[in-house]
Amino acid sequence: MALKTLGYSYNTEEIEEIEQAGEKLKQLAANVRLISDNDTQNFIITGEASVGILYTSQVTTALLERPDLKVVYPEEGIGFGIMANFIPSNAPHADAAYAFIDYILQPEISAACYEYMGYYCTNKAAESYIRDEMKEAIIMPDDLGNMEMIQPVSADAEEHYYRIWTEFKDAVE
């Protein structure tokens, strides 16, 4: 996100841009209470933290527990990823993999998966099976114009990202 606030792409491979984002993160480190991918929503739900950066599933969980919470998207835009199903070309049991994908794409099953995981349900046919309280927790920005898909970067850029992230985490702890 530091890249976006500087006007750069989430997927930049420009080392200078990555370094600038690292400097910005270091400036912010003193204001960061914790860095956690797991159950971050619990700190928001309990009030231990008043703001957080959450994954979609965590937002869904938080809103179900605390409907008084407000979701805010940065004006610079959000990064977005997609969970997908893949079957390797040499999969030893490809038929079973196809059967599993067919199973989870059934509308009732897709709805149950959404309700369990809390990620956006992209199966339109499943919408009628989703409980009303879950539908209310589906939050998307009104304008996706600034959305950027997160993409793989080169090994060189990834090495810089990893180093910057490690330095930032060390500065927070």
Side-chain angles (χ1 to χ4, degrees), residues 133-150:
E133 61 268 20
M134 291 298 289
K135 286 179 184 177
E136 292 173 17
I138 300 172
I139 305 291
M140 281 290 284
D142 294 332
D143 177 16
L144 294 176
N146 288 334
M147 180 190 76
E148 184 177 0
M149 295 300 293
I150 304 300

Side-chain angles (χ1 to χ4, degrees), residues 9-13 79-82 147-154 157-158 161:
S9 167
Y10 281 115
N11 305 304
T12 188
E13 297 204 15
F80 212 80
I82 296 175
M147 180 190 76
E148 184 177 0
M149 295 300 293
I150 304 300
Q151 303 289 328
V153 295
S154 69
E158 188 172 337
Y161 279 111

